[in-house]
Amino acid sequence: MILKTRDKLIEVARQLFANKGVEKTTMNDIAEASDKGRRTIYTYFKNKREIYRAVVDKESMQMLSRLHELSCRQLSPENKLISFIFLRFDAVKEIVMRNGSLRASFFRDVRAVDRVRRITAEEESKILARILQEGVDKGVFKIKHVDETAKVMILSLQGLDVPFIRNNFEDFGIERLRLREYIRNFILYGISAENAPRREINSLSNQLKI
């Protein structure tokens, strides 16, 4: 019963935040919309900001659940990796577009966005690392440092969140319908020619201390 009441308050608050924004939503609004008294709300949450964090936390956990489910599917490592990337993009976009205040802060307040991202980034990296390791084990991927590569990839994907949400890739001359193809080719095949002299690549790596 306790969890059911708490979940109801979170869902009611999510809908109010999406429609009115966090700043314009009051504790009274949440109480009235949930058919609960203010005293009941304060039993579960100290203030409105705590409710807002619970809303974002819940949606973030739902995204992670979807990513985890994908990582367990019977797909080739290549398809699983690309599906992970675009499922993540779509999930982040859904969370942002459903939440009015988060949508505003996503494009205005970098610190607020980073706080949201930190909720999921570590777990996203772990899920992605499992996919990459599966590819390594099957001889599909050649990755020396799997965990570190997963973390760098998540950070790189975060840099594409805003243009994906805004759908403004075409402003950069990139056809959205071909975005999956471009990312797939870059991730899976890289930019080095297959027959590039390894001596030159190794020399550059040494200079950069990679």
Coordinates of all heavy atoms in Angstrom, one line a residue, residues 17-93:
F17 N 3.9 18.2 -13.7 CA 5.1 18.9 -14.1 C 5.2 19.0 -15.6 O 5.7 20.0 -16.1 CB 6.3 18.1 -13.6 CG 6.5 18.0 -12.1 CD1 7.2 17.0 -11.5 CD2 5.9 19.0 -11.3 CE1 7.3 17.0 -10.1 CE2 6.1 19.0 -9.9 CZ 6.8 18.0 -9.3
A18 N 4.7 18.0 -16.3 CA 4.8 18.0 -17.8 C 3.9 19.1 -18.3 O 4.2 19.8 -19.3 CB 4.4 16.6 -18.3
N19 N 2.7 19.3 -17.7 CA 1.7 20.3 -18.2 C 2.0 21.7 -17.7 O 1.8 22.6 -18.5 CB 0.3 19.8 -17.9 CG -0.1 18.5 -18.5 OD1 0.3 18.3 -19.7 ND2 -0.9 17.7 -17.8
K20 N 2.4 21.8 -16.5 CA 2.5 23.2 -15.9 C 3.9 23.6 -15.6 O 4.2 24.8 -15.5 CB 1.7 23.2 -14.6 CG 0.2 22.9 -14.7 CD -0.5 22.9 -13.3 CE -0.4 24.3 -12.7 NZ -1.2 24.3 -11.4
G21 N 4.8 22.6 -15.6 CA 6.2 22.9 -15.2 C 6.3 22.8 -13.7 O 5.4 22.9 -12.9
V22 N 7.6 22.5 -13.2 CA 7.8 22.3 -11.8 C 7.5 23.6 -11.0 O 6.9 23.5 -9.9 CB 9.3 21.8 -11.6 CG1 9.5 21.7 -10.1 CG2 9.5 20.5 -12.2
E23 N 8.0 24.7 -11.5 CA 7.9 25.9 -10.7 C 6.4 26.3 -10.5 O 6.1 26.9 -9.4 CB 8.6 27.1 -11.4 CG 10.1 26.8 -11.6 CD 10.8 26.5 -10.3 OE1 10.4 27.1 -9.3 OE2 11.8 25.7 -10.3
K24 N 5.5 26.0 -11.5 CA 4.2 26.5 -11.4 C 3.3 25.4 -10.7 O 2.1 25.7 -10.4 CB 3.6 26.8 -12.7 CG 4.2 28.0 -13.4 CD 3.6 28.3 -14.7 CE 4.3 29.6 -15.3 NZ 3.7 29.9 -16.7
T25 N 3.8 24.3 -10.4 CA 3.1 23.2 -9.7 C 3.3 23.3 -8.2 O 4.4 23.4 -7.8 CB 3.5 21.8 -10.2 OG1 3.3 21.7 -11.6 CG2 2.7 20.7 -9.5
T26 N 2.2 23.3 -7.5 CA 2.3 23.4 -6.0 C 2.0 22.1 -5.4 O 1.5 21.2 -6.0 CB 1.3 24.5 -5.5 OG1 0.0 24.0 -5.7 CG2 1.5 25.8 -6.2
M27 N 2.4 22.0 -4.1 CA 2.1 20.8 -3.3 C 0.6 20.6 -3.2 O 0.1 19.5 -3.2 CB 2.7 20.8 -1.9 CG 4.2 20.8 -1.9 SD 4.9 19.3 -2.5 CE 5.0 18.4 -1.0
N28 N -0.2 21.7 -3.2 CA -1.6 21.6 -3.2 C -2.2 21.0 -4.5 O -3.1 20.2 -4.5 CB -2.2 23.0 -3.0 CG -2.2 23.4 -1.5 OD1 -2.2 22.6 -0.6 ND2 -2.2 24.8 -1.3
D29 N -1.6 21.4 -5.6 CA -2.0 20.8 -6.9 C -1.8 19.3 -6.9 O -2.7 18.6 -7.3 CB -1.1 21.4 -8.0 CG -1.4 22.9 -8.2 OD1 -2.5 23.4 -8.0 OD2 -0.4 23.6 -8.7
I30 N -0.7 18.9 -6.4 CA -0.4 17.4 -6.3 C -1.4 16.7 -5.4 O -1.9 15.6 -5.7 CB 1.1 17.2 -5.9 CG1 2.0 17.8 -6.9 CG2 1.3 15.7 -5.8 CD1 3.5 17.7 -6.5
A31 N -1.7 17.4 -4.3 CA -2.6 16.8 -3.3 C -4.0 16.6 -3.9 O -4.6 15.6 -3.8 CB -2.6 17.6 -2.0
E32 N -4.5 17.7 -4.6 CA -5.8 17.7 -5.1 C -5.9 16.7 -6.3 O -6.9 15.9 -6.4 CB -6.2 19.1 -5.6 CG -6.4 20.1 -4.5 CD -6.7 21.5 -5.1 OE1 -6.8 21.6 -6.3 OE2 -6.7 22.4 -4.3
A33 N -4.9 16.7 -7.2 CA -4.9 15.8 -8.3 C -4.8 14.3 -7.9 O -5.3 13.4 -8.6 CB -3.8 16.1 -9.3
S34 N -4.2 14.0 -6.8 CA -4.0 12.6 -6.4 C -5.1 12.2 -5.3 O -5.1 11.1 -4.9 CB -2.6 12.4 -5.8 OG -2.5 13.3 -4.6
D35 N -6.0 13.1 -5.0 CA -7.0 12.8 -4.0 C -6.4 12.5 -2.6 O -6.9 11.6 -1.9 CB -7.9 11.7 -4.5 CG -8.8 12.1 -5.7 OD1 -9.2 13.3 -5.8 OD2 -9.0 11.3 -6.6
K36 N -5.3 13.1 -2.4 CA -4.6 12.9 -1.1 C -4.4 14.2 -0.4 O -4.3 15.3 -1.0 CB -3.2 12.2 -1.3 CG -3.2 10.9 -2.0 CD -3.8 9.8 -1.2 CE -3.8 8.5 -2.0 NZ -4.4 7.4 -1.2
G37 N -4.3 14.2 0.9 CA -4.1 15.4 1.7 C -2.6 15.8 1.7 O -1.7 14.9 1.4
R38 N -2.3 17.1 2.0 CA -0.9 17.5 2.0 C -0.1 16.7 3.0 O 1.0 16.4 2.8 CB -0.9 19.0 2.3 CG -1.2 19.9 1.2 CD -1.4 21.3 1.6 NE -0.1 21.8 2.3 CZ 0.9 22.5 1.6 NH1 0.8 22.7 0.3 NH2 1.9 22.9 2.3
R39 N -0.8 16.3 4.1 CA -0.1 15.6 5.2 C 0.4 14.2 4.6 O 1.5 13.8 4.9 CB -1.0 15.4 6.4 CG -0.4 14.6 7.5 CD -1.3 14.5 8.7 NE -1.7 15.8 9.2 CZ -2.5 16.0 10.2 NH1 -3.1 14.9 10.8 NH2 -2.8 17.2 10.7
T40 N -0.4 13.6 3.8 CA 0.0 12.3 3.2 C 1.2 12.5 2.3 O 2.1 11.7 2.3 CB -1.2 11.7 2.3 OG1 -2.3 11.5 3.1 CG2 -0.8 10.4 1.7
I41 N 1.2 13.6 1.5 CA 2.3 13.8 0.6 C 3.6 14.0 1.4 O 4.7 13.4 1.1 CB 2.1 15.1 -0.3 CG1 0.9 14.9 -1.2 CG2 3.3 15.4 -1.1 CD1 0.6 16.0 -2.1
Y42 N 3.5 14.8 2.5 CA 4.7 15.0 3.3 C 5.2 13.8 4.1 O 6.3 13.8 4.6 CB 4.5 16.2 4.3 CG 4.5 17.5 3.6 CD1 3.4 18.3 3.5 CD2 5.7 18.0 3.1 CE1 3.4 19.5 2.8 CE2 5.7 19.3 2.4 CZ 4.6 20.0 2.3 OH 4.6 21.2 1.7
T43 N 4.3 12.8 4.1 CA 4.8 11.5 4.7 C 5.8 10.8 3.8 O 6.7 10.1 4.3 CB 3.6 10.5 4.8 OG1 2.6 11.2 5.7 CG2 4.0 9.2 5.4
Y44 N 5.7 11.1 2.5 CA 6.6 10.4 1.5 C 7.7 11.4 1.0 O 8.8 10.9 0.7 CB 5.8 9.9 0.3 CG 4.8 8.9 0.7 CD1 3.5 9.2 1.0 CD2 5.1 7.5 0.8 CE1 2.5 8.3 1.3 CE2 4.2 6.6 1.2 CZ 2.9 6.9 1.4 OH 2.0 6.0 1.8
F45 N 7.4 12.6 0.9 CA 8.4 13.6 0.4 C 8.5 14.9 1.2 O 7.5 15.4 1.7 CB 7.9 14.0 -1.1 CG 7.8 12.8 -2.0 CD1 6.5 12.3 -2.3 CD2 8.9 12.2 -2.6 CE1 6.3 11.2 -3.1 CE2 8.7 11.1 -3.4 CZ 7.4 10.6 -3.7
K46 N 9.7 15.3 1.4 CA 9.9 16.5 2.2 C 9.4 17.8 1.5 O 9.0 18.7 2.1 CB 11.4 16.7 2.5 CG 11.9 15.6 3.4 CD 13.4 15.8 3.7 CE 14.0 14.6 4.5 NZ 15.4 14.8 4.8
N47 N 9.6 17.8 0.2 CA 9.2 19.0 -0.6 C 9.0 18.7 -2.1 O 9.2 17.5 -2.5 CB 10.3 20.1 -0.5 CG 11.7 19.5 -0.8 OD1 11.9 18.9 -1.8 ND2 12.7 19.8 0.2
K48 N 8.7 19.7 -2.8 CA 8.4 19.5 -4.3 C 9.6 19.0 -5.0 O 9.5 18.2 -6.0 CB 7.8 20.8 -4.8 CG 7.4 20.6 -6.3 CD 6.7 21.9 -6.8 CE 7.7 23.1 -6.7 NZ 7.0 24.3 -7.3
R49 N 10.8 19.5 -4.7 CA 12.0 19.1 -5.4 C 12.3 17.7 -5.2 O 12.8 17.0 -6.1 CB 13.2 20.0 -4.9 CG 13.2 21.4 -5.5 CD 13.4 21.4 -7.0 NE 13.2 22.7 -7.6 CZ 13.2 22.9 -8.9 NH1 13.6 21.9 -9.7 NH2 13.0 24.1 -9.4
E50 N 12.0 17.2 -4.1 CA 12.2 15.7 -3.8 C 11.3 14.9 -4.7 O 11.6 13.8 -5.1 CB 12.0 15.4 -2.3 CG 12.5 14.1 -1.9 CD 12.5 13.9 -0.4 OE1 13.4 14.5 0.2 OE2 11.7 13.2 0.1
I51 N 10.0 15.4 -4.8 CA 9.1 14.7 -5.7 C 9.6 14.7 -7.2 O 9.6 13.7 -7.9 CB 7.7 15.3 -5.7 CG1 7.1 15.2 -4.3 CG2 6.7 14.6 -6.7 CD1 5.8 15.9 -4.1
Y52 N 10.1 15.9 -7.6 CA 10.6 16.0 -8.9 C 11.8 15.0 -9.2 O 11.9 14.4 -10.2 CB 11.1 17.4 -9.2 CG 11.7 17.7 -10.6 CD1 10.9 17.5 -11.7 CD2 13.0 18.1 -10.7 CE1 11.4 17.7 -13.0 CE2 13.5 18.3 -12.0 CZ 12.7 18.1 -13.1 OH 13.2 18.3 -14.3
R53 N 12.7 14.9 -8.2 CA 13.8 14.0 -8.3 C 13.3 12.6 -8.4 O 13.8 11.7 -9.2 CB 14.8 14.1 -7.2 CG 15.6 15.4 -7.2 CD 16.8 15.3 -6.3 NE 16.4 15.3 -4.9 CZ 16.2 16.4 -4.1 NH1 16.4 17.5 -4.7 NH2 15.8 16.3 -2.9
A54 N 12.2 12.3 -7.7 CA 11.7 10.9 -7.7 C 11.0 10.6 -9.1 O 11.1 9.5 -9.6 CB 10.6 10.8 -6.7
V55 N 10.4 11.7 -9.7 CA 9.9 11.5 -11.1 C 11.0 11.2 -12.1 O 10.9 10.2 -12.9 CB 9.1 12.8 -11.5 CG1 8.8 12.8 -13.0 CG2 7.9 13.0 -10.7
V56 N 12.0 12.0 -12.0 CA 13.2 11.7 -13.0 C 13.8 10.4 -12.7 O 14.2 9.7 -13.6 CB 14.2 12.9 -12.9 CG1 15.4 12.6 -13.8 CG2 13.5 14.2 -13.3
D57 N 14.0 10.1 -11.4 CA 14.6 8.8 -11.1 C 13.8 7.6 -11.6 O 14.4 6.7 -12.2 CB 14.7 8.6 -9.5 CG 15.8 9.5 -8.9 OD1 16.6 10.0 -9.7 OD2 15.9 9.6 -7.7
K58 N 12.5 7.7 -11.5 CA 11.6 6.6 -11.9 C 11.7 6.4 -13.4 O 11.8 5.3 -13.9 CB 10.2 6.8 -11.5 CG 9.3 5.7 -11.9 CD 7.8 5.9 -11.4 CE 6.9 4.7 -11.8 NZ 5.6 4.9 -11.3
E59 N 11.7 7.5 -14.2 CA 11.7 7.4 -15.6 C 13.1 6.9 -16.1 O 13.2 6.2 -17.1 CB 11.4 8.8 -16.2 CG 9.9 9.2 -16.0 CD 9.3 9.9 -17.1 OE1 10.1 10.6 -17.9 OE2 8.1 9.8 -17.3
S60 N 14.1 7.4 -15.4 CA 15.5 6.9 -15.7 C 15.6 5.4 -15.5 O 16.3 4.7 -16.3 CB 16.5 7.7 -14.8 OG 16.5 9.1 -15.1
M61 N 15.1 4.9 -14.4 CA 15.1 3.5 -14.1 C 14.4 2.7 -15.2 O 14.8 1.6 -15.6 CB 14.6 3.2 -12.7 CG 15.4 3.7 -11.6 SD 17.2 3.3 -11.7 CE 17.9 4.8 -12.2
Q62 N 13.3 3.3 -15.7 CA 12.5 2.6 -16.7 C 13.4 2.5 -18.0 O 13.4 1.5 -18.7 CB 11.2 3.3 -17.0 CG 10.2 3.2 -15.9 CD 9.0 4.1 -16.1 OE1 9.0 5.0 -16.9 NE2 7.9 3.8 -15.3
M63 N 14.1 3.6 -18.3 CA 15.0 3.6 -19.5 C 16.1 2.5 -19.3 O 16.4 1.7 -20.2 CB 15.7 4.9 -19.6 CG 16.6 5.0 -20.8 SD 17.6 6.5 -21.0 CE 18.8 6.2 -19.7
L64 N 16.7 2.4 -18.1 CA 17.7 1.4 -17.9 C 17.1 0.0 -18.0 O 17.8 -0.9 -18.5 CB 18.3 1.6 -16.5 CG 19.2 2.8 -16.3 CD1 19.6 3.0 -14.8 CD2 20.4 2.8 -17.2
S65 N 15.9 -0.2 -17.6 CA 15.3 -1.5 -17.7 C 15.1 -1.9 -19.1 O 15.4 -3.1 -19.5 CB 13.9 -1.5 -17.0 OG 13.3 -2.7 -17.2
R66 N 14.8 -0.9 -20.0 CA 14.7 -1.2 -21.4 C 16.0 -1.6 -22.0 O 16.1 -2.5 -22.9 CB 14.0 0.0 -22.1 CG 12.6 0.2 -21.7 CD 12.1 1.6 -22.2 NE 12.1 1.7 -23.7 CZ 11.8 2.8 -24.3 NH1 11.5 3.9 -23.7 NH2 11.8 2.8 -25.6
L67 N 17.0 -0.9 -21.6 CA 18.4 -1.1 -22.2 C 18.9 -2.5 -21.7 O 19.5 -3.2 -22.5 CB 19.3 0.0 -21.7 CG 19.1 1.4 -22.3 CD1 20.1 2.4 -21.7 CD2 19.3 1.4 -23.8
H68 N 18.6 -2.8 -20.5 CA 19.0 -4.1 -19.9 C 18.3 -5.2 -20.7 O 18.9 -6.3 -21.0 CB 18.7 -4.2 -18.4 CG 19.0 -5.6 -17.9 ND1 20.3 -6.0 -17.7 CD2 18.2 -6.6 -17.5 CE1 20.3 -7.2 -17.1 NE2 19.0 -7.6 -17.0
E69 N 17.0 -5.1 -20.9 CA 16.2 -6.1 -21.6 C 16.8 -6.3 -23.0 O 16.9 -7.4 -23.5 CB 14.8 -5.6 -21.7 CG 13.8 -6.7 -22.3 CD 13.8 -6.7 -23.8 OE1 13.9 -5.6 -24.4 OE2 13.5 -7.8 -24.4
L70 N 17.2 -5.2 -23.7 CA 17.8 -5.3 -25.0 C 19.1 -6.1 -25.0 O 19.4 -6.9 -25.8 CB 18.1 -3.9 -25.6 CG 18.9 -3.8 -26.8 CD1 18.2 -4.4 -28.0 CD2 19.3 -2.4 -27.2
S71 N 19.9 -5.8 -23.9 CA 21.2 -6.5 -23.9 C 21.1 -8.0 -23.7 O 22.0 -8.7 -24.0 CB 22.0 -5.9 -22.7 OG 21.5 -6.4 -21.4
C72 N 19.9 -8.5 -23.3 CA 19.7 -9.9 -23.1 C 19.0 -10.6 -24.3 O 18.8 -11.8 -24.3 CB 18.8 -10.1 -21.9 SG 19.5 -9.6 -20.3
R73 N 18.7 -9.8 -25.3 CA 18.1 -10.4 -26.5 C 19.1 -11.2 -27.3 O 20.3 -11.0 -27.3 CB 17.5 -9.3 -27.4 CG 16.3 -8.6 -26.8 CD 15.8 -7.5 -27.8 NE 14.8 -6.6 -27.2 CZ 14.4 -5.5 -27.8 NH1 14.8 -5.2 -29.0 NH2 13.5 -4.7 -27.1
Q74 N 18.5 -12.1 -28.1 CA 19.3 -13.0 -29.0 C 19.5 -12.2 -30.3 O 18.9 -12.5 -31.3 CB 18.6 -14.3 -29.2 CG 18.4 -15.2 -28.0 CD 19.8 -15.5 -27.4 OE1 20.7 -15.9 -28.1 NE2 19.9 -15.4 -26.1
L75 N 20.5 -11.3 -30.3 CA 20.8 -10.5 -31.4 C 22.3 -10.6 -31.6 O 23.1 -10.9 -30.7 CB 20.5 -9.0 -31.3 CG 19.0 -8.7 -31.1 CD1 18.8 -7.2 -30.7 CD2 18.2 -9.0 -32.3
S76 N 22.8 -10.3 -32.8 CA 24.2 -10.3 -33.1 C 24.8 -9.1 -32.3 O 24.1 -8.1 -32.0 CB 24.5 -10.1 -34.5 OG 24.1 -8.8 -35.0
P77 N 26.0 -9.2 -31.8 CA 26.6 -8.0 -31.1 C 26.5 -6.7 -31.8 O 26.3 -5.7 -31.2 CB 28.1 -8.5 -30.9 CG 28.0 -10.0 -30.9 CD 27.0 -10.3 -31.9
E78 N 26.7 -6.8 -33.2 CA 26.7 -5.5 -34.0 C 25.3 -4.9 -33.9 O 25.1 -3.7 -33.6 CB 27.0 -5.8 -35.4 CG 28.4 -6.4 -35.6 CD 28.3 -7.9 -35.9 OE1 27.5 -8.6 -35.1 OE2 29.0 -8.4 -36.7
N79 N 24.2 -5.7 -34.1 CA 22.9 -5.2 -34.1 C 22.5 -4.8 -32.7 O 21.7 -3.8 -32.5 CB 21.9 -6.2 -34.6 CG 22.0 -6.4 -36.2 OD1 22.4 -5.4 -36.8 ND2 21.6 -7.5 -36.7
K80 N 23.0 -5.5 -31.7 CA 22.6 -5.2 -30.3 C 23.2 -3.8 -30.0 O 22.6 -3.0 -29.3 CB 23.2 -6.3 -29.4 CG 22.6 -6.2 -28.0 CD 23.1 -7.3 -27.1 CE 22.5 -8.7 -27.6 NZ 22.9 -9.8 -26.6
L81 N 24.5 -3.6 -30.4 CA 25.1 -2.3 -30.1 C 24.4 -1.1 -30.7 O 24.2 -0.1 -30.1 CB 26.6 -2.4 -30.6 CG 27.4 -1.1 -30.5 CD1 27.5 -0.6 -29.1 CD2 28.8 -1.3 -31.1
I82 N 24.1 -1.2 -32.0 CA 23.4 -0.1 -32.7 C 22.0 0.1 -32.1 O 21.5 1.2 -32.0 CB 23.4 -0.4 -34.2 CG1 24.8 -0.5 -34.8 CG2 22.7 0.8 -34.9 CD1 25.7 0.7 -34.5
S83 N 21.3 -1.0 -31.8 CA 20.0 -0.9 -31.2 C 20.1 -0.2 -29.9 O 19.2 0.6 -29.5 CB 19.4 -2.3 -31.1 OG 19.2 -2.9 -32.3
F84 N 21.1 -0.6 -29.1 CA 21.3 0.1 -27.8 C 21.4 1.6 -28.0 O 20.8 2.4 -27.2 CB 22.6 -0.5 -27.1 CG 23.0 0.3 -25.9 CD1 22.7 -0.2 -24.6 CD2 23.8 1.4 -25.9 CE1 23.0 0.4 -23.5 CE2 24.2 2.1 -24.8 CZ 23.8 1.6 -23.5
I85 N 22.2 2.0 -28.9 CA 22.5 3.5 -29.1 C 21.2 4.2 -29.4 O 20.9 5.2 -28.8 CB 23.5 3.7 -30.3 CG1 24.9 3.2 -29.8 CG2 23.5 5.1 -30.7 CD1 25.9 3.2 -31.0
F86 N 20.4 3.6 -30.3 CA 19.1 4.4 -30.8 C 18.0 4.2 -29.8 O 17.1 5.0 -29.7 CB 18.8 4.0 -32.2 CG 19.6 4.7 -33.2 CD1 20.8 4.1 -33.6 CD2 19.2 5.9 -33.7 CE1 21.6 4.8 -34.6 CE2 20.0 6.6 -34.6 CZ 21.2 6.0 -35.0
L87 N 18.0 3.0 -29.1 CA 17.0 2.9 -28.0 C 17.3 3.9 -26.9 O 16.3 4.5 -26.4 CB 17.0 1.5 -27.4 CG 16.1 1.2 -26.2 CD1 14.7 1.5 -26.5 CD2 16.3 -0.2 -25.7
R88 N 18.5 4.1 -26.6 CA 18.9 5.1 -25.6 C 18.5 6.5 -26.1 O 17.9 7.3 -25.3 CB 20.4 5.1 -25.4 CG 20.9 6.0 -24.3 CD 22.4 6.2 -24.3 NE 22.7 7.4 -23.5 CZ 22.6 8.7 -23.9 NH1 22.1 8.9 -25.1 NH2 22.9 9.7 -23.1
F89 N 18.8 6.9 -27.3 CA 18.4 8.2 -27.8 C 16.9 8.4 -27.7 O 16.5 9.4 -27.3 CB 18.8 8.3 -29.3 CG 20.3 8.6 -29.6 CD1 20.9 8.2 -30.7 CD2 21.0 9.4 -28.7 CE1 22.2 8.5 -31.0 CE2 22.3 9.7 -28.9 CZ 22.9 9.2 -30.1
D90 N 16.1 7.4 -28.1 CA 14.7 7.5 -28.1 C 14.2 7.7 -26.7 O 13.3 8.4 -26.4 CB 14.0 6.3 -28.8 CG 14.2 6.3 -30.3 OD1 14.4 7.4 -30.9 OD2 14.2 5.2 -30.9
A91 N 14.8 6.9 -25.8 CA 14.3 6.9 -24.4 C 14.6 8.2 -23.7 O 13.8 8.8 -23.0 CB 15.0 5.8 -23.6
V92 N 15.8 8.8 -24.0 CA 16.2 10.1 -23.4 C 15.2 11.2 -24.0 O 14.7 12.0 -23.2 CB 17.6 10.4 -23.7 CG1 17.9 11.9 -23.4 CG2 18.6 9.5 -23.0
K93 N 14.9 11.1 -25.2 CA 14.0 12.1 -25.9 C 12.7 12.0 -25.3 O 12.0 13.0 -25.0 CB 14.0 11.8 -27.4 CG 13.1 12.8 -28.1 CD 13.2 12.7 -29.6 CE 12.3 13.7 -30.3 NZ 12.4 13.6 -31.8

